[in-house]
């Protein structure tokens, strides 16, 4: 769980996002890979990697796209139920960061930047406490009783990776 935590992925994302603008360019990707000991001197290979990671094609890697990449390539595939198969070959549509922010905002009804169990119940019309407690165990990595946006993104990617 430690390696795929939202805080670890955000920390790694921030090391790649050199200018702190919330996205990673191809130059920043190249530098980040070098820092991680993965030299990528072949521009064609780097372009191909960028196309794979940048699923919305805007030539920038956002946190959601990076999370998919990180969970697929940077973590031991046997860990946390992450499939060994190539995530990008899975036919499921991986939501982009804009979609995830929209979904998150709809559930975060009080607008405080985090989602509580009560907000989950209200948004999805279920009063089954066990169901929501299980989801909180998956998503609320820091145990504060709330799901931050970063925790939400990682939880959604984990759900997409499940069988």
């Amino acid at each position: 769980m430690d390696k795929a935590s939202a805080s670890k992925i955000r920390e790694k994302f921030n090391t790649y996002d050199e200018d702190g603008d919330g996205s990673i360019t191809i130059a920043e990707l190249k530098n980040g890979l070098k820092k991680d000991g993965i030299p990528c001197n072949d521009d064609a290979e780097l372009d191909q990697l960028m196309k794979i990671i940048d699923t919305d094609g805007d030539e920038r890697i956002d946190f959601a796209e990076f999370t998919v990449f990180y969970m697929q390539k940077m973590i031991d595939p046997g860990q946390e139920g992450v499939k060994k198969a190539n995530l990008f070959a899975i036919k499921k549509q991986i939501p982009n960061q804009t979609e995830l922010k929209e979904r998150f905002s709809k559930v975060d009804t009080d607008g405080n930047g985090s989602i509580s169990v009560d907000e989950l119940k209200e948004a999805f019309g279920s009063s089954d406490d066990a169901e929501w407690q299980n989801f909180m165990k998956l998503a609320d990595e820091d145990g504060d009783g709330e799901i931050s946006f970063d925790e939400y993104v990682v939880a959604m990617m984990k759900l997409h990776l499940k069988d």
Side-chain angles (χ1 to χ4, degrees), residues 33-140:
L33 290 171
K34 278 184 183 177
K35 288 178 197 172
D36 282 337
I38 308 167
C40 194
N41 298 321
D42 181 351
D43 287 343
E45 185 180 341
L46 186 62
D47 286 341
Q48 183 62 29
L49 180 60
M50 184 70 170
K51 286 177 185 171
I52 290 169
I53 301 169
D54 178 26
T55 57
D56 64 8
D58 67 355
E59 299 183 2
R60 302 184 79 69
I61 300 169
D62 62 34
F63 182 69
E65 291 166 331
F66 184 82
T67 298
V68 172
F69 167 70
Y70 185 87
M71 291 177 76
Q72 178 200 4
K73 297 291 185 188
M74 307 300 266
I75 296 175
D76 174 28
Q79 196 169 332
E80 297 182 38
V82 177
K83 287 185 176 182
K84 204 170 189 110
N86 186 332
L87 176 63
F88 298 105
I90 296 172
K91 299 290 185 216
K92 292 180 184 179
Q93 177 65 31
I94 303 296
N96 66 34
Q97 182 151 321
T98 302
E99 292 169 20
L100 289 167
K101 282 183 180 180
E102 288 171 6
R103 292 178 190 176
F104 184 85
S105 294
K106 286 180 184 176
V107 179
D108 180 21
T109 55
D110 64 9
N112 71 347
S114 62
I115 298 172
S116 67
V117 172
D118 291 336
E119 287 173 318
L120 287 170
K121 288 180 194 177
E122 182 181 319
F124 298 103
S126 174
S127 60
D128 183 359
D129 284 339
E131 178 183 351
W132 296 119
Q133 292 304 328
N134 285 336
F135 183 75
M136 289 299 279
K137 285 179 189 174
L138 171 73
D140 181 21

